[in-house]
Amino acid sequence: MLQVGMFHSLEVINEVPFGFYLDGQDKGQILLPTKNAPLGCKVGDKVHAFIYHDSDDRIIATTKRPKVCVDHCAYLKVVSISKVGVFVDWGLEKDLLVPYSEQAYPMSEGLSYVVYVFCDEETGRLAASTRLSDFLYEESSEEGGTFEPKQEVELLICGKTDMGYKAIINGSHLGLLFRDEVFKPIKIGHSMKGYIKSIREDGKINLCFQFHDPSARNTLEEQIIEDLIAHDGLSTLTDKSAADEIAKRFNVSKNAYKKALGSLYKQKRILLDKSKITLVENK
């Protein structure tokens, strides 16, 4: 069955002055306008085309690639506001509607938001929503995937709370990055790699950017020693330094840096005071 909002490989069955008709199977013949057709297109060819509704609500095809397909999330900009909702730019000629009923909060023209694209069951047309929890799983054990601690995942930052940042995990689940796990500048709409930190008793998912296991800390310890050697055995980057300064030099959280310094101090490889770190010379 042909699904609106996805790419399909369809056969060209007729050529007309304004384009080509594709075999849309259960959807009938679907127009592929000349301007959106591949160069040299002819009857009998197979065309990889995206299917959606045009401004007249007719099913139409294009070889252009939208910024997002159905049942996926993306960070899209609001380009206009109407009586029925706002329209976001998703890379095609007809902008994508976010109905007022699908807005978790008021959306403003010129700003961008993370939205989920879905197919309306009643109309068969595509729309988008910022009510992400209505479409994504919030517990690891729910259908769509089970996660394990230390598992690497793809994250899309989608919101900010008093505790930290909400993120979409592998396009299917929602998780939380606590504020003390964020050691580098991030913004809503950023895509990046991360890790499953833990699964809470209620099934909710905690995330992190780095694991503070012994092997990782040992590697960081050696980086700190190498940095001290390169700077004549002295560094002003102490455990009192700002988190962003630590992240800029070592790409780790302040907590991880403090643990590594503590380990080096116990090993008597460094001396610590409020203003500097000093490398202990081996005699």
Side-chain angles (χ1 to χ4, degrees), residues 46-65:
K46 286 277 190 176
V47 177
H48 190 59
F50 183 79
I51 308 302
Y52 71 112
H53 287 84
D54 66 9
S55 56
D56 295 319
D57 285 331
R58 298 172 301 187
I59 295 181
I60 197 168
T62 181
T63 54
K64 289 183 178 179
R65 180 166 292 276

Side-chain angles (χ1 to χ4, degrees), residues 62-74:
T62 181
T63 54
K64 289 183 178 179
R65 180 166 292 276
K67 297 176 182 178
V68 60
C69 293
V70 69
D71 297 331
H72 287 76
C73 296

Side-chain angles (χ1 to χ4, degrees), residues 189-200:
H190 278 186
S191 295
M192 58 196 69
K193 291 188 181 297
Y195 297 91
I196 304 298
K197 182 179 182 181
S198 62
I199 308 298
R200 306 205 304 260

Side-chain angles (χ1 to χ4, degrees), residues 140 146-154 169-170 193-199 205-217:
S140 173
T146 299
F147 297 101
E148 300 291 338
K150 298 188 178 182
Q151 179 180 343
E152 185 177 89
V153 290
E154 294 291 336
I169 309 165
N170 289 354
K193 291 188 181 297
Y195 297 91
I196 304 298
K197 182 179 182 181
S198 62
I199 308 298
I205 306 167
N206 293 336
L207 302 166
C208 64
F209 286 129
Q210 185 180 55
F211 268 97
H212 310 314
D213 56 36
S215 60
R217 192 155 60 244

Side-chain angles (χ1 to χ4, degrees), residues 154-215:
E154 294 291 336
L155 303 178
L156 173 60
I157 307 302
C158 62
K160 192 174 182 179
T161 72
D162 291 339
M163 294 185 290
Y165 290 87
K166 291 182 179 180
I168 298 168
I169 309 165
N170 289 354
S172 62
H173 287 67
L174 289 168
L176 180 65
L177 275 162
F178 284 98
R179 191 175 302 279
D180 60 1
E181 293 290 347
V182 180
F183 56 87
K184 55 185 177 182
I186 61 174
K187 294 181 180 179
I188 294 173
H190 278 186
S191 295
M192 58 196 69
K193 291 188 181 297
Y195 297 91
I196 304 298
K197 182 179 182 181
S198 62
I199 308 298
R200 306 205 304 260
E201 289 185 0
D202 59 3
K204 300 295 177 64
I205 306 167
N206 293 336
L207 302 166
C208 64
F209 286 129
Q210 185 180 55
F211 268 97
H212 310 314
D213 56 36
S215 60

Side-chain angles (χ1 to χ4, degrees), residues 6-250:
M6 293 185 63
F7 278 93
H8 296 273
S9 182
L10 304 177
E11 184 179 353
V12 179
I13 57 176
N14 191 20
E15 182 176 356
V16 293
F18 45 86
F20 303 86
Y21 279 103
L22 309 179
D23 180 6
Q25 305 163 20
D26 59 305
K27 304 296 184 184
Q29 294 187 20
I30 299 175
L31 177 65
L32 174 64
T34 302
K35 62 181 178 181
N36 294 330
L39 189 64
C41 186
K42 61 183 183 300
V43 174
D45 287 352
K46 286 277 190 176
V47 177
H48 190 59
F50 183 79
I51 308 302
Y52 71 112
H53 287 84
D54 66 9
S55 56
D56 295 319
D57 285 331
R58 298 172 301 187
I59 295 181
I60 197 168
T62 181
T63 54
K64 289 183 178 179
R65 180 166 292 276
K67 297 176 182 178
V68 60
C69 293
V70 69
D71 297 331
H72 287 76
C73 296
Y75 186 57
L76 303 178
K77 184 177 181 179
V78 176
V79 292
S80 64
I81 299 175
S82 73
K83 294 180 180 179
V84 295
V86 305
F87 288 91
V88 293
D89 174 18
W90 64 320
L92 298 181
E93 293 175 2
K94 182 190 176 185
D95 297 321
L96 186 63
L97 175 68
V98 185
Y100 285 118
S101 61
E102 292 294 338
Q103 296 179 29
Y105 37 79
M107 301 172 71
S108 301
E109 186 173 350
L111 298 183
S112 297
Y113 303 85
V114 175
V115 300
Y116 181 93
V117 179
F118 66 97
C119 186
D120 186 280
E121 293 183 356
E122 293 184 4
T123 64
R125 293 191 292 269
L126 298 177
S129 175
T130 58
R131 298 185 181 276
L132 302 179
S133 59
D134 290 347
F135 301 92
L136 303 174
Y137 301 106
E138 296 190 82
E139 297 178 13
S140 173
S141 59
E142 289 183 294
E143 182 182 351
T146 299
F147 297 101
E148 300 291 338
K150 298 188 178 182
Q151 179 180 343
E152 185 177 89
V153 290
E154 294 291 336
L155 303 178
L156 173 60
I157 307 302
C158 62
K160 192 174 182 179
T161 72
D162 291 339
M163 294 185 290
Y165 290 87
K166 291 182 179 180
I168 298 168
I169 309 165
N170 289 354
S172 62
H173 287 67
L174 289 168
L176 180 65
L177 275 162
F178 284 98
R179 191 175 302 279
D180 60 1
E181 293 290 347
V182 180
F183 56 87
K184 55 185 177 182
I186 61 174
K187 294 181 180 179
I188 294 173
H190 278 186
S191 295
M192 58 196 69
K193 291 188 181 297
Y195 297 91
I196 304 298
K197 182 179 182 181
S198 62
I199 308 298
R200 306 205 304 260
E201 289 185 0
D202 59 3
K204 300 295 177 64
I205 306 167
N206 293 336
L207 302 166
C208 64
F209 286 129
Q210 185 180 55
F211 268 97
H212 310 314
D213 56 36
S215 60
R217 192 155 60 244
N218 289 340
T219 301
L220 176 57
E221 289 169 15
E222 294 310 315
Q223 290 177 0
I224 293 170
I225 294 298
E226 290 175 4
D227 183 73
L228 283 166
I229 293 172
H231 293 87
D232 298 323
L234 290 175
S235 173
T236 57
L237 193 70
T238 70
D239 56 357
K240 307 298 182 183
S241 299
D244 58 345
E245 294 179 4
I246 295 169
K248 186 176 181 180
R249 186 177 299 183
F250 292 104

